[in-house]
Amino acid sequence: MSLEGPHASTSASDRGLREALRVPLSIWLWAEIVVVSISAFALSSLLLVLCYPFDRRRAVAGNIVRLACVTAVKLNPMWKFQIKGQLPANFARKTVLMSNHCSHTDPFLICHLPVTMRWLAKASLFKIPFLGWAMWAVGDIPVRRGDPHSAREAMLRCAYWLNRGVAVAVFPEGTRSASGELLPFKDGAFRLAIETGADILPLAVTGTHTALRKHDWRAGYSLGWLNIGTPISTAGMTVEEVPHLRDQVRESIIRLRAELISGEPASLH
C-alpha cells in the first residue's frame, strides 16, 4: 500500500485502512517533531556559540534548523514533498524568496531548498517550545499581524540579513489561503527588495493543504510540490515601481502553480 499522496489508493478497503492509520501515524508525527525540534534547538544553540567568531551570518546554526524541517518530513510516511527544477545558476544570496501560502507545512517544503535563509513569520510561532526558540536563536524574524511598528521592525531585520548575504523567505499574501487561490499581495516585501537591491525568487507550492487541516490535530496524506521560478532583479527600481513588481511576481507564481497542477493532476488536486 502506498502512502505517498491523498489519491494514491483508489479501492474502498485501501481508503479505509489509510483513514484508520491516520491516528497512529499522526501520533508518530507529533512525537518525532518534538524530538527533532529539541535536537535542532540543542544543536543549533551549541553551534551558535562555537561558530560565532567566524560565522556572524549564523549560517551553520540556521542550516541545522532548516535541515531539521527536512528531517521531520522524511520521518513522516504521510508526507512526500518534492521540488520541481533547480535553483538558477545565477542565484544570489541576497534574495527574497516569495511563495504562495496554503498550509502551515509550506515552510517545511521550502526548507528543502539548499539555501541559507531567514523566515519572516508570525510572532506566535516563536513561542512554540524548542522549534520556536530555535527560530529565534538563528535569527528568524517575528512580526505581529496588524501592528505597524512590528512590521517596520521586521522589515529592518529582513534588510539586516539581506545586506549580509542571507536570503529572506516571505509569504506576500501574509496568511494562508483557505480556497487555494492567491490572496492579495502586501507591498512590504516588494519595497524591501527594492530598497535593499535584492533579487526576488518566485516560488509556488501545491498539495500541502491536505497535510495539516484546520481544526484537526490529525495529519493528512500529502504529496507536496515546490516549483522554482526565475529570479527577478530589482536593480535600478524605485519604490514607485512596487505595484508593477508586485504584479510581475504574482503572475510568475500563478504560472508556476499552474505548471504543477497541469503536470501532476492526479496527485496534486
Side-chain angles (χ1 to χ4, degrees), residues 9 12 16 23 31 47 51 58 78 81 92 109 140 167 191 194-195 201 205-206 219 226 241 249 253 267:
S9 299
V23 169
L47 290 173
C51 299
R58 307 187 199 179
M78 302 179 77
F81 290 176
L109 173 51
D140 288 333
R191 179 183 290 269
I194 289 174
E195 291 180 342
L201 181 64
V205 298
T206 191
L226 172 68
E241 297 176 84
V249 173
I253 292 175
S267 301

Side-chain angles (χ1 to χ4, degrees), residues 217-235:
W217 70 271
R218 299 171 302 169
Y221 298 96
S222 172
L223 177 56
W225 281 88
L226 172 68
N227 200 3
I228 303 173
T230 302
I232 297 172
S233 174
T234 64

